[in-house]
Amino acid sequence: MKIWKSLLIVLMIVANLAFAQPSFADIPKFSKNPDYIEVTKALKQLSQTKDAQTQVEGLTPEEIKKRTEELTLQKYALETGINWGQCSNQTGNTIAVYGKRPNDEEDEDAVYENGLYFLGDGQSTKNNWDCDGIYLPNDVQVENFTSNPNGQGEELRGAAALKILDGTQLVIKRNPDTAAIELNVPTVKVLNSKEANWFIPDISQDLINTRVPNAPSNQS
């Protein structure tokens, strides 16, 4: 009788583990993603601003609404497992973009975390190939640049590395009147060599134009 009672107890424990939601379930992987943490924080800041009915200096309600919508989609993309971004070049020139090495194997001899690739005019980086950002040459500037969702637009001049969030399709255009770069996303992050192990040279757009495009791409 004792044996049957013991077996019954074991079966009850197994059934409970099989059908009940374990209290020690793993935290979703996306919640540990630095991009996800950054997006969630930014959305919270914008939400607090909206709830308090206070206007951020330099931002119109329409701009706040646009940034909130963009960040909401980026948050959703990260929650659904999209772990890559795409860069599209519509500048009329070759641009430099940052991306992972061609294979998934760790290269012990690699000096930098990301490689620097060249994307031709009219090209977009290939689907599922993670474009982490773009390089801004030392003689080019970005119009209406913001690195903080609550920040006011300003001009940024290279040389610099601009990082985008996973799930973003970044479109880079050139203003025909000012020759400055225009970005379609509300915020991008400026990186320096102390924040990330990326190759950030001090070179001009003319030199980039001499490079052969080699980024994995979809021809426009």
Side-chain angles (χ1 to χ4, degrees), residues 65-129:
K65 181 175 181 292
K66 180 180 178 182
R67 294 185 185 188
T68 300
E69 291 174 346
E70 174 69 24
L71 289 169
T72 298
L73 287 180
Q74 289 178 342
K75 180 173 180 287
Y76 173 76
L78 293 168
E79 289 173 342
T80 53
I82 297 178
N83 58 1
W84 56 278
Q86 187 174 55
C87 298
S88 179
N89 178 14
Q90 299 179 17
T91 65
N93 294 312
T94 298
I95 65 171
V97 300
Y98 290 97
K100 297 295 187 293
R101 294 185 294 275
N103 55 65
D104 295 329
E105 297 179 1
E106 292 293 335
D107 186 352
E108 296 180 356
D109 296 328
V111 178
Y112 299 101
E113 176 185 345
N114 275 346
L116 193 64
Y117 300 84
F118 300 98
L119 187 68
D121 178 46
Q123 292 183 341
S124 298
T125 53
K126 194 173 182 179
N127 292 353
N128 295 309
W129 185 82

Side-chain angles (χ1 to χ4, degrees), residues 5 15 17 31 46 61 71 76 144 203:
K5 287 184 178 180
L17 291 174
S31 64
L46 289 175
L71 289 169
Y76 173 76
N144 198 28
I203 58 177

Side-chain angles (χ1 to χ4, degrees), residues 16-17 115-116 154 177 202 208:
N16 183 64
L17 291 174
L116 193 64
E154 58 186 0
D177 298 324
D202 187 13
I208 292 178

